[in-house]
Amino acid sequence: MDVKSRNYLLMNRQALEKDIKTSYIMDHMISDEVLTLQEEERVKQQNTQKERAAMLINIILTKDNNSYRSFYNALLHEGYSDLAALLQEGIPAISSGNRKSSMDGMTSYVKRVLCEGGVPQRPVVFVTRPELVDAIKQKLCCLGSDPGWVTVYGMAGCGKTVLTAEALRDHHLLEGYFPGGVHWVSVGKQDKAGLLIKLQNLCSRLEHDSTLSLRPPLNIEEAKDRLRLLMLRKYHRSLLILDDIWDSWVLKAFDNQCQVLITSRDRSVTDAVAGNKYEVHVESGLAHEKGLEILSLFVNMKISELPEQANCLVRECKGSPLVISLIGALLRDFPSRWEYYLKQLQNKQFKRIRKSSSYDYEAVDEAMSISVEQLNDNYKDYYKDLSILPKDVKVPTKVLCILWDMETEEVEDILQEFVNKSLLFCDRNGKSFHYYLHDLQLDFLTEKNRNQLQELHKNIVNQYKKYYKLNTPVPSQEDCMYWYNFLAYHMAGANMQKELRDLMFSLDWIKAKTELVGPAHLIHEYVEYSSILDQKGSTVRENFQEFLSLNGHLLGRQPFPDIIQLGLCQPETSEVYQQAKLHAQRETGTFYLEWINKTSLKNLYRLVVRPHRDAVYHACFSKDRQRIASCGADKTLQVFKAESGERLLEINAHDDEILCCAFSADGEFVATCSADKKVKIWNSRTGQCRRVYEEHSEQVNCCQFNNRSGPYLLATCSNDTFVKIWDLNKKYCRNTMMGHENSVNHCRFSPDDEYVASCSTDGTVKLWGVRSANELKSIEIKDFFRNVDEQPDDVEVLVKCCSWSRNGDMILVVAKNKLLLFDVKTWDLLTQVIMSHHSTIQYCDFCPDDELVAVALSHCSVELWNIKSLSKVAYCRGHMSWVHCVAFSPDGSLFLTSSDDQTIRIWETKKVCKSSDAVLKSELDVVFHNDEVMILAIYNQKHLQLINGNTDSVVTQTAAQESPISCCCLSEDLTFAAFGQESGTIKVLQLLDGKVLKSREAYKTSVQHCQFTSDYQTLISSAHDSVIQVWNWQLDECVFLRGHKEAIKDFRLLENSKLLSWSFDGTVKVWNITTGNTEKDFACHGGTVLSCAVSPDGSKFSSTSADKTAKIWSFQSSSVLHELKGHEACVRCCTFSHNNKLLATGDDKGEIRIWDMLTGALVHFCSPVTVDEGEPTHGGWVTDLSFSPDSKMLVSSGGYLKWWNVNTGESLQTFYTNGTNLKSIHVSPNFNVYVTVDNLGILYVLQKM
């Protein structure tokens, strides 16, 4: 160190030791790399402040000139300007040059310029934000050699000062644009006296090597003149930096035709000065990863080693560099306080996050409140009103116009004042403005105005009611979405219990809101505000929540369903049903249907969501059970709330179908794998992609994280025959397990993470060591599949999946229709369960209690089995297509299922286990008798039930038959019933006592149809062959109708002992059932004839075919009258209108056409106006049609039931059944009662209201 510098330190030592606090000074010196951490430790070990200061000065005295300069600048920056002035004359001179410094790559020229100009050092912990630094440099270059202003603006603590200082660390910028140097002044909030001192100090600095010792300027004007002359004559082409400007009048003192950069919270602060102006907006949020990086540097740990609270802390800091740095500095001093500081932030205790850095304010709340205090009193009240704005929401101007009862222009002027001062942010959305607060500002406001929040919420609700009166906002209004999303939030905040109940229990509100935003947000509100909505002994809130939870998948679709009709399907004790009935009775012009036998139905699922636009291949719970991740054929990853279905994240994640997804043990990450051969890791909260692995060479079928927190490990398996283990901290695969000879379908870590089990199409299950990656065991699953001769079955055994017991002692393996349970230690087969031969197992999961196993089956259902007692404890129906996945929640209280039907269903395990599995087959017969609806149905495959549809009571039930029943029919007088069996047997029984009167082994294949003649003496039947049998069961005589070349599709009785039949051979025949002779033979179609109908006058019949045409024929001439073309799929059904003028046809595309019988012209094409992408028009095939007696209405069955206006072709009503694939609809003669069964075996008796 120069002797002069050393002497100045010794001369002023006493004053320095008396006043300085060393910790912040040392931060700067460590940043400048002139002080080591060991030296800092030596200083900290001293007992008193004075002793610590003395030790620091002793250390500086042993060092070089750089340490003196660093100490001087640290004093300036920390506010010790009077002490810095004592050392100013001792600053050692630096020789100019471009020699690179060995310390950090900055040239010595840059160091000297910044040091002499008083530019702050880098913080001890510095994380660069290159985009913003480059933006500041670019604006500085724009100044060129002309005078002007660059404003770097943003809210408190966003990093303006640090970024500006960093932009100046550029040799090219300083030498090329500001050869006169840079001069940094920390201004802050000042009165005139304070400003004069700042000006005097600046002039003194600029004159320090002048030969003349001038007296300090006596007033601001004199200081301004002296500064102008200095800048013009001595420091031409230099840059003046004014840090932290609050008031525009302050700038006028520096308005002297030079180049100035200012940092400010107020964007409009330069309005009062002249010259070119450029702006750089510093965004308020750091990326999550940058926040973690700052924390890791402060506490000297790798990001991967940070405790789990680190992620929560960064999230709570809302991306504010200031708050993250304050927390980091505190944690450096108190490394065990992660949980404490997290709680302080979560509880908005900003005062506790006190100064531990070089920032100008003592605590976070002080930094924010000082901005608010600068507003005039009137504006402070308006700003206080913003305390109740919801987080992360951009609020349209119109909302604040309603709140303040002002014109748009007045409101925008007030808000612009806040925006200019960085107290509010504005987003221009088309023609309108949307405003929002940074999370920290909102936290500060809510904390500051905590005692007034209820009144503020009440005010906004009252203003809304005053403005809209009894109306609701319509979608064309810009504020519409705000009120639908947040009116309930404001009512709850105001504790307006009655108003909130009136709103949330209104079907009108529910209809309007769900049409706009879907049901998930409403379900969330029922959960969130349950304490306000619930009244003692009342289940109203539960009624509405259940209604939305179970119908959410319908309410999110197009065309939007009639919510009144959905409400009428609720139990009669439900408030939803009561309201729906009142609405239905009031409404004119719309007809509604009462489901009169719905009392027997119990809903077993808790929530149904439809997050995807295509098949859902996989879904899983997070460990805390709060979230569900799902993926599928639409290539997206979805994350939503398990309670409400509210979407949290939607990511277009891959270029092909996503086959599997998995949460990490701590819920921080979600992994996805895809048919595009890639594995990706996502931040489960932000959606940021953390890793992409591309080492598999074929589609990746499964991904699973390890079960314990700690190092993140991921197992994946692929069609390339490999299982791979990945460490998320590394870019490449950690281990590859080779041994399978075909595609690997599934893999799972053992509960202790010691092993990975994998299942393959090669028929094996293998066990691998996670650490060694060695194959430890292989089981040939195909050995457990043997044919009747006890020889291994030749059919390929595809092992679908496996699941570990909670303790890791057992492993469950699925192949074909078997569940196999193995002991992991001995690999003995402990037990096996064989499912129905009609279905294959798609997936399985062990319940955490180790007793229950959930099994997803290809026939749309899920079964729960007790693996200890080998008994089926539940049969879960609800999905309309293949179920791909089933997964229990971590505590086993819930399980979810996902399906090709685009839905995910969440089930309550206990509720499901208590239910019965009674199922009706879709083949039934109905007699409408004296206002009674009598239904003959096949119950649980082997019983017949006669059900009174009006009372939903079983009149009679037969004993179990030896073979499953395949079809049935009733006599019109309800005396007899008949049924056919899969064994080919047909039986006639007496309904009164269920006694079988006659039986006949008629066929070798399953009986398909049976029907009594009008005298009930004869039973006509057909099976999977080409012969129709006419059996006089009382005389036990049979006539065989032989003539069709292929199997009979169906038949219909005509008058005068005639029968019409149609077949897969494309022909239609008319028979005399007495003689068995063919009377007419029609070669109708090139493909299968799928249906026929006879005109009311008996002169014509229609035929429809798989060849996509329908035809109208004359019985008399045996000729085709019209060929009806236009359908784009198989035409499956047809019916004539009662007035003999129209024919309706329905096809497999879900479309219905109405034709003029006389001309064959198309009269109407029945189709909804809008349908969701990929959604069939009628939810599937149109399977049956029926006209009303007046021929003005038409009812159709398919995926659900629809009623149509025949005159316009428009849809009048839709009834959504719980299941789908309705095979037929039975309609009463007066068109008031409708009966059908869905593919879940649920019976619907519907009555027109």
Side-chain angles (χ1 to χ4, degrees):
M1 186 183 295
D2 289 353
V3 176
K4 181 182 175 185
S5 305
R6 185 182 176 79
N7 286 341
Y8 267 90
L9 259 181
L10 292 168
M11 264 167 40
N12 298 294
R13 179 175 188 147
Q14 197 172 351
L16 290 166
E17 288 177 359
K18 182 181 172 186
D19 287 344
I20 64 171
K21 292 180 182 176
T22 54
S23 58
Y24 308 141
I25 302 287
M26 289 193 294
D27 283 349
H28 289 283
M29 297 184 72
I30 291 167
S31 174
D32 287 345
E33 298 185 34
V34 298
L35 192 71
T36 67
L37 292 173
Q38 290 80 6
E39 288 166 339
E40 180 190 33
E41 221 29 65
R42 277 170 57 199
V43 173
K44 282 184 175 178
Q45 284 168 5
Q46 307 307 308
N47 295 324
T48 65
Q49 176 185 312
K50 189 170 182 180
E51 287 171 355
R52 287 192 287 273
M55 175 57 75
L56 178 60
I57 292 167
N58 286 340
I59 291 170
I60 294 170
L61 285 168
T62 66
K63 291 181 174 288
D64 60 9
N65 290 339
N66 282 332
S67 61
Y68 187 96
R69 285 191 209 94
S70 177
F71 182 54
Y72 170 79
N73 283 323
L75 290 172
L76 273 178
H77 197 78
E78 285 301 316
Y80 299 110
S81 50
D82 52 341
L83 296 176
L86 298 175
L87 300 181
Q88 188 171 313
E89 293 300 317
I91 296 174
I94 301 179
S95 58
S96 179
N98 289 348
R99 182 176 53 84
K100 283 273 183 186
S101 159
S102 62
M103 282 198 292
D104 61 359
M106 270 206 313
T107 63
S108 54
Y109 167 72
V110 170
K111 280 196 163 188
R112 176 178 63 79
V113 171
L114 299 190
C115 189
E116 289 178 349
V119 176
Q121 321 297 319
R122 275 185 186 147
V124 178
V125 168
F126 174 71
V127 176
T128 185
R129 293 151 82 185
E131 301 86 6
L132 286 167
V133 171
D134 289 345
I136 296 169
K137 288 181 186 178
Q138 188 184 356
K139 298 303 180 191
L140 287 172
C141 293
C142 288
L143 286 175
S145 56
D146 299 325
W149 308 79
V150 174
T151 306
V152 179
Y153 71 96
M155 66 173 279
C158 66
K160 303 180 290 290
T161 300
V162 173
L163 290 166
T164 299
E166 190 60 24
L168 299 175
R169 293 183 178 96
D170 184 306
H171 186 103
H172 170 72
L173 178 74
L174 296 183
E175 190 175 58
Y177 290 88
F178 307 110
V182 296
H183 311 287
W184 187 289
V185 183
S186 294
V187 181
K189 183 72 186 142
Q190 298 294 342
D191 56 13
K192 289 193 175 181
L195 177 61
L196 179 58
I197 293 169
K198 292 284 179 187
L199 285 164
Q200 287 172 340
N201 286 343
L202 178 59
C203 291
S204 172
R205 262 167 59 192
L206 297 176
E207 294 166 342
H208 78 270
D209 58 349
S210 171
T211 50
L212 296 171
S213 183
L214 300 172
R215 65 166 175 78
L218 298 177
N219 55 52
I220 290 174
E221 282 304 315
E222 184 184 343
K224 182 180 175 181
D225 282 343
R226 188 178 300 182
L227 184 59
R228 179 172 55 79
L229 290 171
L230 283 166
M231 298 300 281
L232 188 64
R233 295 174 182 171
K234 194 172 177 185
Y235 295 97
H236 181 58
R237 290 191 67 200
S238 65
L239 177 67
L240 183 60
I241 301 109
L242 306 176
D243 185 31
D244 197 21
I245 293 291
W246 283 82
D247 302 294
S248 53
W249 66 265
V250 170
L251 279 194
K252 290 182 179 177
F254 299 92
D255 187 6
N256 47 29
Q257 294 296 297
C258 62
Q259 294 166 312
V260 186
L261 181 149
I262 67 165
T263 69
S264 179
R265 303 181 197 186
D266 189 344
R267 180 184 181 182
S268 62
V269 78
T270 55
D271 289 353
V273 293
N276 298 325
K277 292 169 191 171
Y278 306 94
E279 290 180 349
V280 177
H281 180 215
V282 177
E283 292 290 341
S284 50
L286 272 180
H288 189 82
E289 295 306 313
K290 289 281 186 191
L292 288 175
E293 190 181 341
I294 289 174
L295 281 185
S296 70
L297 290 168
F298 265 111
V299 296
N300 198 24
M301 296 166 76
K302 291 179 182 175
I303 292 178
S304 58
E305 295 170 352
L306 291 172
E308 58 187 42
Q309 293 97 330
N311 280 297
C312 302
L313 268 170
V314 171
R315 274 197 297 276
E316 288 297 331
C317 290
K318 322 297 185 191
S320 166
L322 160 65
V323 184
I324 293 172
S325 298
L326 289 176
I327 296 288
L330 288 163
L331 286 167
R332 185 181 60 197
D333 293 337
F334 304 103
S336 60
R337 289 191 181 178
W338 290 89
E339 193 64 38
Y340 172 76
Y341 291 125
L342 176 58
K343 280 181 182 169
Q344 300 312 322
L345 279 174
Q346 287 170 336
N347 298 328
K348 317 293 181 252
Q349 296 298 319
F350 298 120
K351 287 183 172 64
R352 307 267 178 92
I353 315 298
R354 299 205 65 77
K355 182 170 180 174
S356 182
S357 78
S358 55
Y359 195 60
D360 291 349
Y361 305 100
E362 279 295 319
V364 182
D365 62 327
E366 185 186 333
M368 289 186 278
S369 76
I370 198 158
S371 296
V372 179
E373 292 308 314
Q374 295 309 302
L375 297 169
N376 69 44
D377 290 344
N378 194 21
Y379 277 42
K380 281 179 192 170
D381 287 338
Y382 290 130
Y383 195 64
K384 181 169 70 178
D385 285 341
L386 305 185
S387 308
I388 52 161
L389 294 186
K391 277 191 176 179
D392 302 318
V393 174
K394 295 178 179 178
V395 181
T397 315
K398 177 77 180 292
V399 171
L400 297 162
C401 292
I402 292 169
L403 173 60
W404 293 332
D405 199 9
M406 288 183 183
E407 295 295 323
T408 304
E409 291 75 14
E410 293 177 274
V411 170
E412 285 177 353
D413 288 347
I414 292 168
L415 297 175
Q416 191 57 43
E417 181 71 15
F418 301 151
V419 170
N420 287 341
K421 292 189 168 9
S422 296
L423 289 169
L424 188 68
F425 297 91
C426 177
D427 182 26
R428 179 123 199 191
N429 184 5
K431 293 180 180 175
S432 63
F433 292 102
H434 285 64
Y435 298 91
Y436 61 100
L437 289 160
H438 185 274
D439 282 2
L440 277 175
Q441 291 171 325
L442 192 53
D443 288 345
F444 163 72
L445 272 177
T446 51
E447 185 62 28
K448 184 181 178 190
N449 302 307
R450 178 165 297 282
N451 297 331
Q452 300 171 64
L453 291 180
Q454 189 169 318
E455 277 307 309
L456 294 172
H457 279 293
K458 195 171 184 179
N459 182 39
I460 196 170
V461 174
N462 289 334
Q463 289 297 101
Y464 165 86
K465 288 163 71 177
K466 177 182 168 186
Y467 185 85
Y468 279 107
K469 299 181 174 67
L470 297 175
N471 303 313
T472 50
V474 294
S476 58
Q477 295 167 309
E478 66 164 317
D479 61 323
C480 163
M481 291 299 286
Y482 181 87
W483 298 118
Y484 280 119
N485 279 318
F486 301 111
L487 183 57
Y489 157 77
H490 290 303
M491 286 179 173
N495 201 27
M496 300 170 82
Q497 297 184 12
K498 182 183 181 303
E499 289 85 348
L500 185 62
R501 288 190 192 113
D502 290 347
L503 182 80
M504 298 290 288
F505 301 155
S506 155
L507 276 180
D508 289 330
W509 177 258
I510 291 169
K511 179 177 187 293
K513 177 160 179 170
T514 48
E515 278 194 40
L516 276 174
V517 299
H521 191 258
L522 257 172
I523 298 169
H524 166 74
E525 288 178 326
Y526 286 121
V527 176
E528 184 83 4
Y529 309 133
S530 56
S531 59
I532 302 173
L533 293 169
D534 286 345
Q535 290 177 292
K536 193 174 181 181
S538 169
T539 59
V540 176
R541 193 263 310 164
E542 290 172 19
N543 293 162
F544 277 92
Q545 186 177 329
E546 183 177 76
F547 169 60
L548 285 171
S549 296
L550 302 183
N551 291 286
H553 59 301
L554 299 175
L555 294 169
R557 79 200 304 172
Q558 290 292 335
F560 193 82
D562 187 322
I563 204 160
I564 308 302
Q565 183 59 66
L566 288 179
L568 287 168
C569 296
Q570 296 301 293
E572 293 189 7
T573 53
S574 165
E575 177 66 22
V576 180
Y577 171 81
Q578 304 291 345
Q579 277 201 38
K581 191 162 186 176
L582 285 173
H583 274 273
Q585 289 165 347
R586 280 201 308 262
E587 290 213 18
T588 54
T590 307
F591 82 88
Y592 291 101
L593 299 140
E594 185 86 84
W595 182 4
I596 58 177
N597 70 316
K598 64 173 176 257
T599 49
S600 60
L601 185 75
K602 291 189 180 104
N603 280 310
L604 302 179
Y605 29 87
R606 174 167 165 170
L607 179 68
V608 186
V609 288
R610 193 164 168 252
H612 294 272
R613 295 175 294 281
D614 209 331
V616 189
Y617 291 145
H618 197 83
C620 56
F621 285 96
S622 61
K623 199 166 186 179
D624 61 4
R625 215 190 78 172
Q626 299 301 306
R627 295 176 294 158
I628 291 170
S630 64
C631 60
D634 64 2
K635 309 174 192 174
T636 69
L637 168 68
Q638 308 279 348
V639 179
F640 55 91
K641 290 182 181 176
E643 184 78 50
S644 66
E646 190 175 7
R647 181 175 288 147
L648 300 170
L649 209 57
E650 178 177 22
I651 304 169
N652 293 315
H654 286 267
D655 302 323
D656 207 334
E657 296 183 336
I658 307 177
L659 305 176
C660 188
C661 58
F663 273 107
S664 60
D666 59 4
E668 204 54 43
F669 299 107
V670 178
T672 54
C673 61
S674 164
D676 68 6
K677 310 175 191 173
K678 295 174 186 172
V679 178
K680 297 187 180 183
I681 312 296
W682 310 87
N683 183 306
S684 70
R685 299 182 192 280
T686 66
Q688 182 186 11
C689 186
R690 285 290 307 274
R691 284 264 188 265
V692 180
Y693 297 123
E694 300 185 61
E695 293 183 36
H696 281 293
S697 57
E698 292 189 42
Q699 79 171 32
V700 189
N701 296 313
C702 180
C703 56
Q704 288 285 332
F705 274 103
N706 56 335
N707 297 300
R708 298 181 176 181
S709 51
Y712 296 105
L713 297 181
L714 182 77
T716 61
C717 58
S718 162
N719 281 4
D720 63 11
T721 75
F722 299 140
V723 179
K724 290 179 181 284
I725 303 283
W726 313 83
D727 183 331
L728 262 58
N729 292 321
K730 295 174 182 172
K731 293 182 180 178
Y732 304 105
C733 171
R734 184 174 108 165
N735 293 111
T736 299
M737 286 98 149
M738 293 174 278
H740 283 294
E741 295 171 5
N742 209 328
S743 304
V744 191
N745 303 310
H746 193 250
C747 57
R748 270 195 180 174
F749 280 96
S750 61
D752 61 4
D753 295 331
E754 290 294 316
Y755 309 108
V756 167
S758 61
C759 308
S760 169
T761 307
D762 65 12
T764 66
V765 172
K766 292 183 186 291
L767 194 69
W768 314 83
V770 171
R771 290 184 187 137
S772 65
N774 291 335
E775 181 182 323
L776 305 177
K777 183 70 181 174
S778 182
I779 309 177
E780 292 282 349
I781 298 297
K782 59 188 173 196
D783 290 348
F784 298 93
F785 289 83
R786 297 182 176 270
N787 59 24
V788 286
D789 302 321
E790 283 299 305
Q791 296 300 311
D793 206 327
D794 290 337
V795 180
E796 180 185 59
V797 176
L798 189 154
V799 188
K800 272 283 180 76
C801 79
C802 60
S803 182
W804 292 83
S805 62
R806 182 172 53 177
N807 59 11
D809 290 347
M810 299 179 288
I811 189 164
L812 189 69
V813 179
V814 162
K816 294 171 77 174
N817 65 335
K818 282 187 180 180
L819 280 177
L820 304 162
L821 186 66
F822 293 96
D823 183 300
V824 174
K825 290 190 178 78
T826 64
W827 289 103
D828 293 336
L829 178 66
L830 298 175
T831 188
Q832 64 175 314
V833 177
I834 302 174
M835 303 284 154
S836 158
H837 285 286
H838 298 297
S839 190
T840 57
I841 303 173
Q842 298 296 104
Y843 205 85
C844 71
D845 196 32
F846 238 128
C847 184
D849 68 4
D850 282 355
E851 280 196 16
L852 286 181
V853 173
V855 184
L857 299 164
S858 58
H859 66 229
C860 319
S861 66
V862 172
E863 293 179 0
L864 260 60
W865 286 76
N866 186 311
I867 205 72
K868 290 184 178 174
S869 65
L870 298 185
S871 58
K872 182 164 71 171
V873 294
Y875 175 73
C876 310
R877 51 211 172 105
H879 283 293
M880 300 185 190
S881 190
W882 278 33
V883 183
H884 287 289
C885 169
V886 57
F888 281 100
S889 61
D891 61 0
S893 62
L894 304 174
F895 64 94
L896 61 78
T897 54
S898 70
S899 163
D900 266 352
D901 66 10
Q902 306 179 13
T903 68
I904 295 166
R905 290 168 192 256
I906 292 102
W907 313 72
E908 291 187 51
T909 310
K910 280 185 181 172
K911 194 190 274 191
V912 164
C913 290
K914 289 176 185 170
S915 70
S916 68
D917 59 351
V919 176
L920 300 183
K921 283 192 74 169
S922 54
E923 290 76 12
L924 73 163
D925 197 14
V926 181
V927 171
F928 298 97
H929 182 75
N930 298 334
D931 292 332
E932 279 194 326
V933 184
M934 303 305 291
I935 300 150
L936 187 68
I938 303 164
Y939 169 75
N940 280 4
Q941 298 203 329
K942 291 193 175 182
H943 301 267
L944 269 190
Q945 278 188 349
L946 182 66
I947 301 166
N948 184 319
N950 303 65
T951 62
D952 196 30
S953 58
V954 177
V955 179
T956 183
Q957 179 175 314
T958 67
Q961 301 299 310
E962 66 283 355
S963 169
I965 302 170
S966 50
C967 62
C968 61
C969 65
L970 264 174
S971 66
E972 286 285 332
D973 64 355
L974 302 177
T975 305
F976 306 112
F979 61 88
Q981 293 176 266
E982 288 183 10
S983 62
T985 304
I986 50 177
K987 296 181 182 180
V988 178
L989 55 84
Q990 193 163 281
L991 275 176
L992 189 64
D993 54 9
K995 180 184 174 185
V996 174
L997 301 175
K998 280 287 171 68
S999 174
R1000 170 182 167 79
E1001 292 182 8
Y1003 300 95
K1004 292 180 180 177
T1005 60
S1006 177
V1007 185
Q1008 293 299 295
H1009 302 284
C1010 59
Q1011 187 180 347
F1012 283 109
T1013 55
S1014 56
D1015 62 0
Y1016 320 135
Q1017 307 292 307
T1018 303
L1019 186 71
I1020 302 168
S1021 61
S1022 67
H1024 274 308
D1025 64 19
S1026 60
V1027 180
I1028 297 171
Q1029 297 190 20
V1030 181
W1031 176 38
N1032 185 319
W1033 58 273
Q1034 291 198 334
L1035 301 175
D1036 206 10
E1037 295 173 354
C1038 192
V1039 175
F1040 297 90
L1041 308 183
R1042 292 187 170 94
H1044 283 295
K1045 293 187 177 67
E1046 291 182 44
I1048 308 297
K1049 185 72 177 73
D1050 206 348
F1051 57 80
R1052 176 182 171 144
L1053 273 165
L1054 303 174
E1055 293 177 348
N1056 305 320
S1057 300
K1058 302 286 192 298
L1059 182 85
L1060 187 75
S1061 68
W1062 52 98
S1063 161
F1064 284 88
D1065 63 12
T1067 67
V1068 175
K1069 297 181 188 296
V1070 179
W1071 309 84
N1072 183 314
I1073 59 172
T1074 308
T1075 65
N1077 296 329
T1078 308
E1079 296 200 346
K1080 287 187 185 292
D1081 198 341
F1082 299 86
C1084 291
H1085 295 273
T1088 302
V1089 180
L1090 295 172
S1091 72
C1092 286
V1094 178
S1095 64
D1097 63 6
S1099 66
K1100 304 177 186 69
F1101 77 92
S1102 60
S1103 63
T1104 71
S1105 170
D1107 66 9
K1108 304 180 185 177
T1109 67
K1111 294 179 181 179
I1112 301 175
W1113 301 82
S1114 164
F1115 277 119
Q1116 190 174 0
S1117 65
S1118 299
S1119 61
V1120 64
L1121 301 176
H1122 301 291
E1123 184 173 2
L1124 311 175
K1125 294 181 177 178
H1127 284 284
E1128 296 173 6
C1130 298
V1131 189
R1132 191 154 295 272
C1133 56
C1134 57
T1135 188
F1136 286 98
S1137 64
H1138 292 267
N1139 63 9
N1140 226 36
K1141 291 181 179 179
L1142 302 172
L1143 175 75
T1145 56
D1147 67 23
D1148 285 3
K1149 200 180 170 188
E1151 295 175 349
I1152 297 165
R1153 286 168 168 77
I1154 299 175
W1155 312 85
D1156 186 306
M1157 271 175 61
L1158 193 63
T1159 65
L1162 181 66
V1163 179
H1164 286 300
F1165 171 66
C1166 300
S1167 176
V1169 182
T1170 53
V1171 178
D1172 279 353
E1173 185 186 346
E1175 185 82 8
T1177 305
H1178 206 301
W1181 300 350
V1182 181
T1183 54
D1184 203 0
L1185 295 159
S1186 184
F1187 277 100
S1188 62
D1190 62 6
S1191 303
K1192 290 182 178 178
M1193 283 175 71
L1194 177 73
V1195 63
S1196 59
S1197 64
Y1200 33 80
L1201 298 175
K1202 284 190 81 66
W1203 285 258
W1204 306 88
N1205 182 322
V1206 172
N1207 295 326
T1208 64
E1210 292 174 353
S1211 171
L1212 295 171
Q1213 187 55 274
T1214 302
F1215 185 92
Y1216 290 98
T1217 49
N1218 284 32
T1220 183
N1221 298 349
L1222 314 175
K1223 281 194 176 177
S1224 62
I1225 180 160
H1226 299 261
V1227 183
S1228 65
N1230 62 4
F1231 206 68
N1232 278 344
V1233 180
Y1234 314 86
V1235 180
T1236 191
V1237 171
D1238 64 21
N1239 67 334
L1240 305 178
I1242 299 169
L1243 176 69
Y1244 300 86
V1245 181
L1246 309 177
Q1247 186 163 20
K1248 209 161 145 190
M1249 288 182 73

